[in-house]
Amino acid sequence: LLQQFRKNMPQSIRFAKNPELIVETHALKSLSAFLFQRLRWAGKLSHIQNARLKMISAFVWLQRAMLPITLILLAVQASFFLFEILAGALLLQWMANYFLQVKANRFYDTKSWKKWFIPVEIAHAFYYLALGILSFLPMERNWKGRKA
């Protein structure tokens, strides 16, 4: 739907950063429901027509997958060069994510997020890698009783 708006009325899409416009939804009841929702969303990326959006999505996935991929390579072939790549990539990624989280948590008035930052960053890297790979597998995705 958003792609149709972007195609037919490109100037009609705006971001409204206003706390009064926040929409909240209930959390899904199970981990499997959450994962299938994310797989459904990730599977939609293959239908995006805009080459720029596809390139950005691919870049973000590769950047987020850097931690697990480099750790796997380090386990296979210990190398100081690979360690330097890992350290540099993590430093850049975590700095960018940290400053983004500072702004987001200030906007949402969330106080106790910092203690979870590094554990969540590590877990998210593996989750993101797995989700990206699984989204390309031929699996049926249902949503609200319909094939998605």
Side-chain angles (χ1 to χ4, degrees), residues 51-65:
R52 182 171 176 239
L53 288 178
K54 280 188 176 188
M55 292 295 291
I56 290 171
S57 296
F59 174 77
V60 169
W61 186 82
L62 286 170
Q63 186 261 342
R64 294 300 298 181

Side-chain angles (χ1 to χ4, degrees), residues 60-124:
V60 169
W61 186 82
L62 286 170
Q63 186 261 342
R64 294 300 298 181
M66 181 66 74
L67 171 64
I69 290 170
T70 309
L71 284 175
I72 292 167
L73 291 173
L74 278 170
V76 173
Q77 174 69 42
S79 161
F80 188 70
F81 177 69
L82 284 176
F83 178 77
E84 288 178 316
I85 291 173
L86 174 66
L90 285 180
L91 182 63
L92 288 172
Q93 178 179 324
W94 288 3
M95 282 174 42
N97 290 347
Y98 183 83
F99 290 115
L100 178 64
Q101 287 299 319
V102 166
K103 288 183 135 188
N105 285 290
R106 190 176 298 137
F107 178 76
Y108 287 105
D109 197 29
T110 309
K111 303 286 187 227
S112 63
W113 64 274
K114 290 180 184 175
K115 66 183 174 190
W116 295 103
F117 180 75
I118 291 179
V120 168
E121 283 291 310
I122 293 168
H124 188 259

